Amino acid sequence: MTVNETYLRRSLEGDRGLLDAVRDAPLPSAFDNAFGKVLLPRPFFVPEAEIRSTAADLAAFFELLFSLPDRLYDGDLGRYCEALGIDRARAAVMSRLADKPALYGRADLSHDGESFKLFELNIGSSLGGTDRAELARTLLEVPAFAAFAEEHGIGYVHTGERLADTLREISLPLTGGAEPVVAYVEANGGLSGSTHLARSFAEMMHRCGIDLVIGEIGQIEESGGRLRLHGRQIDVVLRYFTPNEIVDDPDGPRALEPVLRAHEEGRVVLWTTPQSALFGNKGAMALMSDPRMREGLSAEDSRLIDRILPWTRLLTPELVDHCRAHRQELILKPTADYGGAGIVAGWDSTEQEWKDALDAAAGAGFIVQRRVGSRPEQVVDPGTGELQEWTPTWGLFLLPSGYAGSYIRALEDSAGVVRAGTFKTTTVFHTPDPAPEPCAAPLTKDAAWQGI
C-alpha cells in the first residue's frame, strides 16, 4: 500500500488527526489571509524518485528551449520573436539584455497515471505558488501529521528556502556575503489587486532570512550610483512585472531603463531579466514540438521531448481543418496570456463554437495543444467523511540548483480549465514509494498526428 493509499484509508476510517491536520496547521497570518479559504483538507503525495526524475527532464527541456533561436533562426532574436507573434515593442524589452535566461521557472503538469506531462511553462521570477511550501512546513508542526510523516518517511522541498539561497548567491558580488536587500517589484499599479499575495510571499521570505521590500517599478529611485526603493538601498530586483505590463504602461519603458542599466553595470541584480519571457511564451512550446526542431537533435533529446510534451503547434490557417476534425482532443490557448484567459477547450465547445474560435485565432498568436489526460486525486471531506475527486495541476519549481518543490491547484470538474480564482490549492510531500513505470510508447505517433 502506498503512502497516499494509507493516508486515505486512515482518513476514511475517521482519523481526526489527519482529517483536521490542515485546519490545525499554524498557518502564517498573511498566508492564511491569502489562501486559508481555498486550501484542500490534505496535502498530495508523489514518489520522490518520480518527481526528481521529472525535474531533471524539465531542466534538460529548458536548456533545449533556450537554444531555439540558435537552432531555428541562426541566433536572430528578431526572427524568433516574429515567429511567435511578439511585436517590436515587446521584443525590444525582452531582448534589451543579452544575458542567457536564468533557470528559474514553474512547469505546470498533469499526471496521466503513468507519468507527468507538460502543458504550460512559466519562466522567470513572476511566479505564483512559491509560498505553498509554508503549508508543508506548518503541517509538520501538527503532532498527528508529524507522526505520520516520520512513520512513512515523507518529506518536502521548501521553495522559499531554495529561492532565498539563490538570492544570497547571486547577490554576493554586491553584498560580500551579508544578507541582501531584495526588492519585490510589480508593474505600476500591479500591487492594487495582488497585495495579499505579495504580503504572503514577503512573510515567507522574511522567515527565510531575506530582507524584502515591496514596491512598484515607478517607485525605484537612483541615488549615489545605487538603486533605492522606499529609501532602502537594494541589491536584487526580484521581477514580478512582465514585459507586457511595461509596454502597456506609457511610463513603463522609462521606469525600467535605470534598472536594466544598473544590472548591466553590476550595481544591482535583476532576477530574472525580461528575456525569460521569450521562452515563457506558449508559442515556444509549439516550436519545441515542431518536426523542424528534431533535425539537429540527438535521439535522446527527441525522446525527452516526446516523453514530456504533448503535441503542440502554432495555429496557422493550414491547421484549421485538422483541428476542426479533432475538436475533442484539442485545446486552444493564446501564446502570451496567463491565468487561463482566452483559453478554449474543444471538448467543452460545440462544433460551431470551436470553428468560430479557430477561425478567429488562426495566425493571431495562438497555439493548439493535444489534450493531456489527468489522473484525479481522492480527498476525504473532513465534515462528511465522503470521498471526493479533484483533478490537479502540479506546479513544479526549478532553480539553478535543481528541483525546488511543488504545489497543487485542483478543480472538482475534471473537464475544466484551471483559471485564476477558480481552484483550490495544497502542498506536495514526496514519499519513498516506487515511481510508476514510464510510458514506453511515444506520445503522438498515431497516424492522425504524424508529421503535422
mmCIF file of all heavy atoms in Angstrom, residues 20-40:
data_model
loop_
_atom_site.group_PDB
_atom_site.id
_atom_site.type_symbol
_atom_site.label_atom_id
_atom_site.label_comp_id
_atom_site.label_asym_id
_atom_site.label_seq_id
_atom_site.Cartn_x
_atom_site.Cartn_y
_atom_site.Cartn_z
ATOM 1 N N ASP A 20 -8.101 16.635 10.231
ATOM 2 C CA ASP A 20 -8.090 18.033 10.659
ATOM 3 C C ASP A 20 -6.701 18.667 10.601
ATOM 4 O O ASP A 20 -6.494 19.775 11.108
ATOM 5 C CB ASP A 20 -8.633 18.143 12.094
ATOM 6 C CG ASP A 20 -10.076 17.682 12.209
ATOM 7 O OD1 ASP A 20 -10.809 17.775 11.201
ATOM 8 O OD2 ASP A 20 -10.469 17.205 13.293
ATOM 9 N N ALA A 21 -5.742 17.981 9.978
ATOM 10 C CA ALA A 21 -4.363 18.462 10.005
ATOM 11 C C ALA A 21 -4.216 19.838 9.363
ATOM 12 O O ALA A 21 -3.552 20.730 9.911
ATOM 13 C CB ALA A 21 -3.441 17.460 9.316
ATOM 14 N N VAL A 22 -4.830 20.055 8.195
ATOM 15 C CA VAL A 22 -4.719 21.361 7.539
ATOM 16 C C VAL A 22 -5.411 22.429 8.380
ATOM 17 O O VAL A 22 -4.886 23.541 8.550
ATOM 18 C CB VAL A 22 -5.300 21.302 6.110
ATOM 19 C CG1 VAL A 22 -5.415 22.703 5.506
ATOM 20 C CG2 VAL A 22 -4.433 20.413 5.225
ATOM 21 N N ARG A 23 -6.564 22.098 8.943
ATOM 22 C CA ARG A 23 -7.269 23.050 9.802
ATOM 23 C C ARG A 23 -6.424 23.434 11.013
ATOM 24 O O ARG A 23 -6.421 24.589 11.459
ATOM 25 C CB ARG A 23 -8.591 22.446 10.274
ATOM 26 C CG ARG A 23 -9.486 23.392 11.077
ATOM 27 C CD ARG A 23 -10.483 22.639 11.930
ATOM 28 N NE ARG A 23 -9.804 21.900 13.014
ATOM 29 C CZ ARG A 23 -10.428 21.109 13.868
ATOM 30 N NH1 ARG A 23 -11.735 20.908 13.756
ATOM 31 N NH2 ARG A 23 -9.748 20.492 14.824
ATOM 32 N N ASP A 24 -5.692 22.455 11.549
ATOM 33 C CA ASP A 24 -4.919 22.687 12.772
ATOM 34 C C ASP A 24 -3.527 23.249 12.524
ATOM 35 O O ASP A 24 -2.824 23.614 13.475
ATOM 36 C CB ASP A 24 -4.782 21.365 13.545
ATOM 37 C CG ASP A 24 -6.125 20.847 14.062
ATOM 38 O OD1 ASP A 24 -7.077 21.650 14.128
ATOM 39 O OD2 ASP A 24 -6.206 19.648 14.386
ATOM 40 N N ALA A 25 -3.106 23.323 11.262
ATOM 41 C CA ALA A 25 -1.758 23.823 10.964
ATOM 42 C C ALA A 25 -1.650 25.297 11.369
ATOM 43 O O ALA A 25 -2.548 26.095 11.062
ATOM 44 C CB ALA A 25 -1.447 23.656 9.485
ATOM 45 N N PRO A 26 -0.579 25.674 12.062
ATOM 46 C CA PRO A 26 -0.411 27.074 12.495
ATOM 47 C C PRO A 26 0.061 27.952 11.340
ATOM 48 O O PRO A 26 1.213 28.362 11.251
ATOM 49 C CB PRO A 26 0.651 26.966 13.600
ATOM 50 C CG PRO A 26 1.473 25.773 13.223
ATOM 51 C CD PRO A 26 0.512 24.808 12.572
ATOM 52 N N LEU A 27 -0.863 28.254 10.445
ATOM 53 C CA LEU A 27 -0.520 28.986 9.223
ATOM 54 C C LEU A 27 -0.041 30.395 9.555
ATOM 55 O O LEU A 27 -0.599 31.071 10.418
ATOM 56 C CB LEU A 27 -1.736 29.076 8.299
ATOM 57 C CG LEU A 27 -2.365 27.758 7.837
ATOM 58 C CD1 LEU A 27 -3.620 28.056 7.010
ATOM 59 C CD2 LEU A 27 -1.374 26.934 7.030
ATOM 60 N N PRO A 28 0.985 30.887 8.852
ATOM 61 C CA PRO A 28 1.376 32.292 9.000
ATOM 62 C C PRO A 28 0.202 33.196 8.635
ATOM 63 O O PRO A 28 -0.615 32.860 7.768
ATOM 64 C CB PRO A 28 2.536 32.450 8.010
ATOM 65 C CG PRO A 28 3.039 31.055 7.786
ATOM 66 C CD PRO A 28 1.849 30.158 7.899
ATOM 67 N N SER A 29 0.107 34.347 9.273
ATOM 68 C CA SER A 29 -1.106 35.165 9.160
ATOM 69 C C SER A 29 -1.370 35.656 7.739
ATOM 70 O O SER A 29 -2.512 35.604 7.255
ATOM 71 C CB SER A 29 -1.031 36.354 10.123
ATOM 72 O OG SER A 29 0.107 37.162 9.824
ATOM 73 N N ALA A 30 -0.340 36.144 7.032
ATOM 74 C CA ALA A 30 -0.563 36.636 5.672
ATOM 75 C C ALA A 30 -0.908 35.492 4.727
ATOM 76 O O ALA A 30 -1.733 35.646 3.814
ATOM 77 C CB ALA A 30 0.667 37.398 5.171
ATOM 78 N N PHE A 31 -0.282 34.338 4.931
ATOM 79 C CA PHE A 31 -0.613 33.162 4.125
ATOM 80 C C PHE A 31 -2.067 32.762 4.360
ATOM 81 O O PHE A 31 -2.813 32.470 3.417
ATOM 82 C CB PHE A 31 0.319 32.008 4.486
ATOM 83 C CG PHE A 31 0.047 30.733 3.728
ATOM 84 C CD1 PHE A 31 0.732 30.447 2.560
ATOM 85 C CD2 PHE A 31 -0.903 29.813 4.169
ATOM 86 C CE1 PHE A 31 0.476 29.278 1.852
ATOM 87 C CE2 PHE A 31 -1.163 28.643 3.472
ATOM 88 C CZ PHE A 31 -0.466 28.387 2.307
ATOM 89 N N ASP A 32 -2.478 32.744 5.620
ATOM 90 C CA ASP A 32 -3.857 32.380 5.961
ATOM 91 C C ASP A 32 -4.837 33.346 5.325
ATOM 92 O O ASP A 32 -5.879 32.946 4.789
ATOM 93 C CB ASP A 32 -4.010 32.369 7.480
ATOM 94 C CG ASP A 32 -5.319 31.736 7.935
ATOM 95 O OD1 ASP A 32 -5.910 30.953 7.156
ATOM 96 O OD2 ASP A 32 -5.741 32.019 9.065
ATOM 97 N N ASN A 33 -4.513 34.633 5.330
ATOM 98 C CA ASN A 33 -5.386 35.630 4.731
ATOM 99 C C ASN A 33 -5.512 35.425 3.231
ATOM 100 O O ASN A 33 -6.596 35.586 2.651
ATOM 101 C CB ASN A 33 -4.846 37.028 5.015
ATOM 102 C CG ASN A 33 -5.699 38.119 4.385
ATOM 103 O OD1 ASN A 33 -6.863 38.275 4.712
ATOM 104 N ND2 ASN A 33 -5.110 38.867 3.464
ATOM 105 N N ALA A 34 -4.409 35.037 2.582
ATOM 106 C CA ALA A 34 -4.416 34.882 1.126
ATOM 107 C C ALA A 34 -5.042 33.577 0.681
ATOM 108 O O ALA A 34 -5.730 33.523 -0.351
ATOM 109 C CB ALA A 34 -2.984 34.986 0.589
ATOM 110 N N PHE A 35 -4.828 32.483 1.444
ATOM 111 C CA PHE A 35 -5.187 31.158 0.936
ATOM 112 C C PHE A 35 -6.017 30.300 1.890
ATOM 113 O O PHE A 35 -6.426 29.200 1.510
ATOM 114 C CB PHE A 35 -3.906 30.378 0.588
ATOM 115 C CG PHE A 35 -3.032 31.077 -0.398
ATOM 116 C CD1 PHE A 35 -1.822 31.645 -0.002
ATOM 117 C CD2 PHE A 35 -3.411 31.217 -1.721
ATOM 118 C CE1 PHE A 35 -1.011 32.305 -0.908
ATOM 119 C CE2 PHE A 35 -2.611 31.879 -2.636
ATOM 120 C CZ PHE A 35 -1.408 32.429 -2.228
ATOM 121 N N GLY A 36 -6.244 30.781 3.110
ATOM 122 C CA GLY A 36 -6.916 29.944 4.100
ATOM 123 C C GLY A 36 -8.257 29.401 3.654
ATOM 124 O O GLY A 36 -8.635 28.282 4.021
ATOM 125 N N LYS A 37 -8.967 30.157 2.839
ATOM 126 C CA LYS A 37 -10.311 29.735 2.419
ATOM 127 C C LYS A 37 -10.306 28.841 1.181
ATOM 128 O O LYS A 37 -11.360 28.318 0.805
ATOM 129 C CB LYS A 37 -11.176 30.962 2.151
ATOM 130 C CG LYS A 37 -11.470 31.779 3.406
ATOM 131 C CD LYS A 37 -12.348 32.982 3.103
ATOM 132 C CE LYS A 37 -12.622 33.782 4.368
ATOM 133 N NZ LYS A 37 -13.460 34.992 4.081
ATOM 134 N N VAL A 38 -9.153 28.653 0.558
ATOM 135 C CA VAL A 38 -9.116 27.840 -0.665
ATOM 136 C C VAL A 38 -8.172 26.648 -0.521
ATOM 137 O O VAL A 38 -7.731 26.079 -1.525
ATOM 138 C CB VAL A 38 -8.727 28.688 -1.902
ATOM 139 C CG1 VAL A 38 -9.792 29.720 -2.204
ATOM 140 C CG2 VAL A 38 -7.364 29.350 -1.721
ATOM 141 N N LEU A 39 -7.879 26.245 0.708
ATOM 142 C CA LEU A 39 -6.998 25.103 0.911
ATOM 143 C C LEU A 39 -7.779 23.799 0.878
ATOM 144 O O LEU A 39 -8.852 23.681 1.492
ATOM 145 C CB LEU A 39 -6.286 25.217 2.266
ATOM 146 C CG LEU A 39 -5.280 26.354 2.422
ATOM 147 C CD1 LEU A 39 -4.711 26.345 3.845
ATOM 148 C CD2 LEU A 39 -4.159 26.246 1.401
ATOM 149 N N LEU A 40 -7.263 22.822 0.152
ATOM 150 C CA LEU A 40 -7.795 21.467 0.253
ATOM 151 C C LEU A 40 -7.471 20.917 1.639
ATOM 152 O O LEU A 40 -6.487 21.329 2.264
ATOM 153 C CB LEU A 40 -7.165 20.573 -0.816
ATOM 154 C CG LEU A 40 -7.695 20.754 -2.240
ATOM 155 C CD1 LEU A 40 -6.781 20.045 -3.233
ATOM 156 C CD2 LEU A 40 -9.114 20.230 -2.372
#
